[in-house]
Amino acid sequence: MSKSTSKTTGLHPDSLLAHAGGGFDQATGAVVPPIQTATTFVRDEDYEPIGPGYIYSRDDNALYKKVEKLIADLEGGEDSRLFASGMAAVAAVARLVKPGGTILAQSGIYWGTTLFLRKYCARNNIALVEVDVSDFKAFHDEFSVTQPNLVWLEVPSNPFLKVADIQRISDLCKSAETLLTVDATAATPLILKPLSLGADLVMHSATKALNGHSDLLGGVVTTGDIDSEAWTFISEERHDAGAVLGSFEAWLLLRGLRTLALRVERMNKNALTLAKHLDAHPKVKAVLYPGLESHAQHQLAKAQMTGGYGSLMSILVNGGKDAALKVTGALDIFQRATSLGGTESLIEHRQTIEGEASGIPGDLLRLSIGIEHVDDLIGDLDQALSTL
Ligand SMILES: *Cc1c(COP(=O)(O)O)cnc(C)c1O
């Protein structure tokens, strides 16, 4: 029998995740990796590193490598790079576009990304075009005119839960040598694999479901082609610009990932049950969730995603902004907080956070569904909606 403890080919994602970072340590037998906190590593008398590859921790780190390999495997990609936050990962990708270039970004996405791209492009003489990519014709027309260097999608989008056709858009991008990046944070690699649909890069805020416990900031970018120019740039950018993850965060992320498959399964199931319940609720005007048949891109979501539709949804309540705020105030189990993908369910009145200029309607509430018992979540929302 082979002594190798890292024989992972052919395993299901659930199994890869359950053993995340594992393969016991030959020296101690430990089933989880240690946290290496050293920032610098000594050399021997001949000035060779004592541990090959161990020089300085901004270069690399044994824990990053474990997490990066795992995420690359989940995505069906060739390699990943961890970043200090999701936004650091977004910024590294955006910097691929040089002054004079053009970025075509999906409109109505994560507000932090939109704001960053607007400021970054304005400061660097890069044209930024924002378009509703769930409307393929609108996207195609805009693409033909602008000939962008980079297309930025978010699937599903936050907070409107729109679903772009990654395969069709990637065909278009390939014909024009445009780089396609998909932020798939709200989906997780377990239910959406943008690289297999033709994207060049996939990005996640690891702060969200990948870690899943609302206790670290992190980001990750994965490539389908380690020999590409884009990947050389991103690897160098992580090293040279230095937006690296801390050792403790890398370790926590690995620990969080061990339960990703279980968490995603429960969260997706809870979300679909809740979406159906709220869709039939008299106080709810609309539910935005790709798992509902009433969703404009439901068929596309069904074809693109496997095993669920994610744990993010938005609802529009009857009675406008005041009613929406009243509902949030009456909730007991849902926590009033930003972010998503954690074990605990969260609710957010996005317009209060982002302002009216963001275009987010006052009656919209964004829900991140956790792993609680679904009857408790339904009960909490029902009693809060009954105050209207
Ligand atoms: C949270 C989030 C980000 C930013 O990630 P941080 O880890 O907060 O920097 C980017 N995209 C999406 C879709 C997000 O939800």
Side-chain angles (χ1 to χ4, degrees), residues 85-87 110 113 154 158 183 185 203 205 207-208 217-218 340:
S85 68
M87 287 315 301
Y110 179 69
T113 302
E154 192 177 279
N158 171 5
D183 178 344
T185 299
M203 172 261 151
S205 165
T207 310
K208 313 295 167 52
L217 285 173
L340 56 112

Side-chain angles (χ1 to χ4, degrees), residues 336-356:
R336 291 172 286 278
T338 193
S339 202
L340 56 112
T343 56
E344 66 288 309
S345 292
L346 302 177
I347 190 159
E348 187 175 35
H349 188 253
R350 292 294 289 176
Q351 197 198 64
T352 300
I353 309 299
E354 318 297 10
E356 285 183 34

Side-chain angles (χ1 to χ4, degrees), residues 3-6 19 21-33 66:
K3 269 176 77 179
S4 167
T5 53
S6 57
H19 292 255
F24 72 82
D25 179 61
Q26 295 292 347
T28 64
V31 295
V32 293
K66 285 184 190 289

Side-chain angles (χ1 to χ4, degrees), residues 283 285 315-331 336 347 349-352 356 360-365 384-388:
K283 301 277 173 68
K285 202 162 73 182
I315 60 173
L316 307 178
V317 299
N318 289 335
K321 179 176 177 176
D322 291 345
L325 285 168
K326 193 172 178 194
V327 170
T328 66
L331 287 161
R336 291 172 286 278
I347 190 159
H349 188 253
R350 292 294 289 176
Q351 197 198 64
T352 300
E356 285 183 34
I360 295 167
D363 58 0
L364 183 144
L365 292 172
L385 286 163
S386 75
T387 64
L388 295 182

